């Protein structure tokens, strides 16, 4: 928990909220809801409690009621490109605004710590996230709506020039900061390890 927590009640509220989101997602993806009368979908109320949502008829409705789906899709695409090897256990953050004006949706946010990314640590010939041991991303693997959103978002980003723009930016930054990178590598060698890195926040 990275926000300021002053009271035990706050910690318990955050804990309950995160557990509820997880329970709603897990139930939506893995429970048989063919009989909605017996097995309804769930959502979260304003106090962070899991409650039945008898009006929902699809897993997507339940998931979208507790997660910012656009942020989920963006994070998945980003991790497939960057391949952060810390993805499964650290350097992975969420935010959620449970204030009266907040959207009360778990948001995938603050990507960082790619010093072991971009294929530096392993050669992946299959989709990265599936093998990265992060259930907050991998659980959606079998959902058709998820792949439809991922494909649409990827095509949108490609058409907007996002990927070519990033490559051009990397080329520019590499040239401009060549001397700084060399100093960084030298300091890393002097310390006896790779430059950069550090302890990541637990998810």
């Amino acid at each position: 928990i990275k926000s300021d927590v002053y009271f035990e009640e706050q910690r318990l509220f955050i804990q309950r909220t995160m557990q509820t989101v997880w329970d709603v997602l897990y139930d939506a993806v893995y429970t048989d809801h063919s009989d909605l009368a017996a097995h309804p979908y769930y959502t979260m109320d304003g106090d962070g409690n899991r409650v039945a949502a008898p009006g929902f008829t699809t897993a997507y409705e339940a998931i979208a009621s507790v997660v910012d789906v656009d942020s989920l899709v963006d994070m998945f695409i980003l991790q497939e490109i960057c391949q952060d090897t810390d993805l499964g256990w650290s350097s992975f953050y969420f935010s959620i605004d449970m204030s009266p004006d907040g959207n009360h949706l778990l948001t995938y946010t603050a990507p960082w710590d790619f010093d072991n990314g971009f294929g530096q640590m392993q050669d992946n010939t299959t989709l990265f996230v599936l093998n990265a041991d992060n259930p907050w991303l991998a659980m959606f693997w079998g959902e058709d709506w998820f792949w439809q959103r991922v494909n649409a978002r990827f095509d949108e980003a490609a058409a907007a020039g996002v990927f070519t723009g990033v490559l051009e930016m990397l080329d520019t930054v590499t040239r401009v900061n060549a001397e700084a990178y060399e100093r960084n590598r030298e300091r890393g060698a002097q310390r006896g390890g790779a430059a950069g890195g550090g302890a990541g926040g637990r998810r």
Side-chain angles (χ1 to χ4, degrees):
I1 299 172
K2 294 296 182 182
S3 59
D4 292 330
V5 175
Y6 301 103
F7 305 104
E8 180 67 3
E9 290 81 0
Q10 289 176 295
R11 187 190 67 79
L12 292 174
F13 176 78
I14 294 170
Q15 182 183 47
R16 182 174 70 250
T17 298
M18 290 300 296
Q19 185 64 57
T20 295
V21 171
W22 173 260
D23 290 344
V24 170
L25 297 179
Y26 192 91
D27 174 82
V29 172
Y30 296 114
T31 297
D32 179 4
H33 289 281
S34 56
D35 182 356
L36 288 174
H39 302 288
Y41 289 102
Y42 292 92
T43 187
M44 179 172 63
D45 66 17
D47 294 322
N49 300 303
R50 189 179 78 154
V51 294
F56 291 171
T57 59
T58 66
Y60 175 78
E61 290 175 282
I63 292 165
S65 75
V66 294
V67 164
D68 182 319
V69 174
D70 287 340
S71 71
L72 161 64
V73 170
D74 286 347
M75 184 64 73
F76 173 82
I77 293 173
L78 180 69
Q79 291 293 351
E80 280 299 327
I81 294 171
C82 298
Q83 299 192 355
D84 179 12
T85 56
D86 292 335
L87 172 65
W89 65 279
S90 69
S91 304
F92 191 76
Y93 290 98
F94 302 107
S95 67
I96 186 167
D97 186 348
M98 294 292 286
S99 69
D101 296 327
N103 63 9
H104 297 198
L105 298 177
L106 187 73
T107 302
Y108 292 65
T109 188
W112 74 293
D113 197 14
F114 295 126
D115 57 314
N116 290 327
F118 297 97
Q120 294 188 68
M121 301 298 290
Q122 56 192 31
D123 180 19
N124 289 288
T125 57
T126 59
L127 289 168
F128 174 75
V129 172
L130 180 61
N131 300 304
D133 192 31
N134 187 317
W136 292 94
L137 290 172
M139 75 160 65
F140 305 106
W141 215 255
E143 299 292 305
D144 290 340
W145 65 264
F146 177 71
W147 290 111
Q148 292 168 5
R149 294 288 291 267
V150 167
N151 291 334
R153 182 62 168 159
F154 190 94
D155 290 344
E156 177 187 355
V162 170
F163 304 124
T164 54
V166 167
L167 292 175
E168 292 172 358
M169 181 196 72
L170 289 174
D171 286 341
T172 299
V173 169
T174 300
R175 290 194 304 272
V176 170
N177 296 289
E179 293 183 6
Y181 294 146
E182 186 59 35
R183 291 195 305 272
N184 193 46
R185 280 191 292 269
E186 289 175 358
R187 293 188 64 179
Q190 291 169 0
R191 294 200 313 264
R202 301 289 292 186
R203 57 181 164 84

